[in-house]
Amino acid sequence: MTKVPAVLGIETSCDETAAAVVRGYPPGPGDIVSNIVASQIAQHRPYGGVVPEIAARAHVEILDVIVERALAEAQMSLRDIDAIAVTAGPGLIGGVAVGLSLAKGLAVATGKPLIALNHLEGHALTVRLTHGVAFPFLLLLVSGGHCQLLIAEGVDRFIRLGTTIDDAAGEAFDKTAKLLGLGFPGGPALERAASHGNPRRHRFPRPLAGADGFDFSFSGLKTAVRRAAEMSDDLTPAAVADLAAGFQAAAIDVLVARTSKAMQLFAERYAAPHYLVAAGGVAANKALNISLASAANARGFEIFVPSPQLCTDNAAMIAWAGLEYVALGRTDRLDAAPRARWPLDASRRDVAGAKA
Ligand code: KG4
Ligand code: ZN
């Protein structure tokens, strides 16, 4: 019997230091053998947001221990690993460089191939790891840095339908949570507050509602919430909950309306079965999940969303994406460069391994 391939994944692009071992074959599902995530939330909390310098230093301090822990939990040594997969961008460049340097060192020391991955592709392919979803699928990618609608036609084959023209979805949740005094990280705090509020007390704008295309905008919504908060003379917990609920309802309406329109286009272009996938940190939001599921149902799409722990940043998604590339026989050169920006629909051949 041949050994099922195993990949070590490393993720350091934002404020989670993560390593994981995943085993399996595309299209999945795969087997998460270990999945360690060390959050830096406590270090960033006093500043109300992620501080790049602090993030990079924290990755340097613990990444080797996290990798050792992921191997120990998997009861494996580097000898048992078939490739080293690592996030090479997009993200905070200092953190990305820390992960990529360690991965290169491990690749050199062991002679195993290096796979330098796009973090967004990790999010995008997670539903193959968890559910073995076949290509093509429609993808709503909503995270702290991105808000995009894409068609995933294959590994490294994405067509972008639309993106945000101002804030990313998670950024809008984070900024709104901050102005409402809900603390950091904002997305989950805002969702909690919204669950006690009345979403109909305020009627906030739905930016770009009915506009052509598939782009998103959130900055007008955020400003409307700020104005309403400033006009309220007593921001009691109940008042904050109503503002949070009003914001969340509007943000979800924007996301679901655009996704619904994209489902229509997808259904015209591709034969059934039709799949809708949500990924990235904001996809952990329960109210968004419920609304997306009913929109998908109305259009005959089957919806797939990873569990909340696999929506937010982790290294299992990177290890799985590594397995997808291993199966295609595609690995990277040791001079792969860290990239602060890296659109998912750019050809990977043009960027990975290229000198910055
Ligand atoms: O994918 P992710 O962990 O990191 C990036 O690649 O950006 O996404 C983090 C983002 C943050 O903006 C966070 O506030 C948001 O996802 N988020 C949520 C929820 N959980 C995380 N937003 C809304 N509701 C949630 N439950
Ligand atoms: Zn992410």
Side-chain angles (χ1 to χ4, degrees):
M1 206 179 85
T2 52
K3 178 179 153 292
V4 180
V7 168
L8 170 69
I10 295 174
E11 160 60 43
T12 56
S13 66
C14 192
D15 59 344
E16 329 275 2
T17 311
V21 177
V22 173
R23 240 182 338 214
Y25 298 100
D31 180 17
I32 301 177
V33 194
S34 67
N35 185 20
I36 311 288
V37 181
S39 170
Q40 305 172 359
I41 284 172
Q43 280 126 297
H44 298 292
R45 184 170 281 128
Y47 306 92
V50 178
V51 183
E53 286 299 312
I54 294 176
R57 183 182 298 206
H59 290 308
V60 170
E61 280 169 3
I62 60 163
L63 180 57
D64 52 351
V65 177
I66 297 299
V67 168
E68 276 171 13
R69 208 181 292 165
L71 289 168
E73 201 155 290
Q75 298 185 313
M76 285 184 182
S77 76
L78 284 167
R79 269 192 305 280
D80 308 313
I81 297 292
D82 294 280
I84 320 282
V86 62
T87 296
L92 300 174
I93 197 75
V96 173
V98 171
L100 188 55
S101 301
L102 181 71
K104 287 178 181 178
L106 293 175
V108 170
T110 59
K112 312 276 172 159
L114 173 78
I115 305 170
L117 288 163
N118 186 316
H119 175 86
L120 302 175
E121 188 161 28
H123 281 303
L125 302 180
T126 303
V127 286
R128 289 169 59 80
L129 162 62
T130 56
H131 296 87
V133 178
F135 295 117
F137 53 82
L138 178 66
L139 170 65
L140 174 68
L141 183 54
V142 274
S143 69
H146 296 87
C147 184
Q148 304 183 346
L149 273 163
L150 301 130
I151 294 169
E153 287 200 319
V155 173
D156 198 19
R157 282 172 50 210
F158 294 88
I159 302 166
R160 191 164 72 187
L161 301 177
T163 188
T164 179
I165 58 171
D166 41 57
D167 291 342
E171 195 179 356
F173 270 84
D174 292 338
K175 289 178 174 171
T176 305
K178 195 170 181 177
L179 76 91
L180 294 177
L182 291 169
F184 170 81
L190 194 133
E191 179 174 29
R192 264 193 311 278
S195 69
H196 309 295
N198 172 6
R200 279 171 291 278
R201 162 111 179 262
H202 303 275
R203 174 74 194 174
F204 292 127
R206 271 70 174 153
L208 295 183
D212 284 346
F214 299 94
D215 285 343
F216 301 91
S217 165
F218 293 99
S219 83
L221 168 59
K222 180 188 65 196
T223 308
V225 179
R226 170 173 297 127
R227 249 189 248 121
E230 282 165 1
M231 271 158 52
S232 160
D233 20 272
D234 189 12
L235 271 184
T236 59
V240 167
D242 288 345
L243 289 164
F247 165 83
Q248 182 172 271
I252 289 175
D253 267 4
V254 168
L255 291 168
V256 173
R258 294 320 237 182
T259 306
S260 238
K261 201 169 145 210
M263 282 193 275
Q264 190 178 350
L265 175 104
F266 187 94
E268 285 162 12
R269 274 201 206 171
Y270 300 90
H274 295 142
Y275 303 130
L276 171 65
V277 169
V282 182
N285 185 286
K286 274 202 206 66
L288 173 61
N289 267 273
I290 292 166
S291 297
L292 277 178
S294 87
N297 197 26
R299 293 202 179 266
F301 276 59
E302 193 172 351
I303 185 169
F304 295 93
V305 186
S307 64
Q309 300 89 311
L310 291 176
C311 279
T312 50
D313 287 350
N314 65 85
M317 69 181 192
I318 301 303
W320 171 260
L323 281 166
E324 297 258 21
Y325 279 90
V326 166
L328 296 171
R330 287 178 56 179
T331 60
D332 287 288
R333 297 188 342 215
L334 286 171
D335 63 353
R339 299 172 60 88
R341 299 180 65 79
W342 185 353
L344 195 45
D345 53 343
S347 166
R348 190 167 178 277
R349 279 176 302 282
D350 298 341
V351 290
K355 300 206 168 59

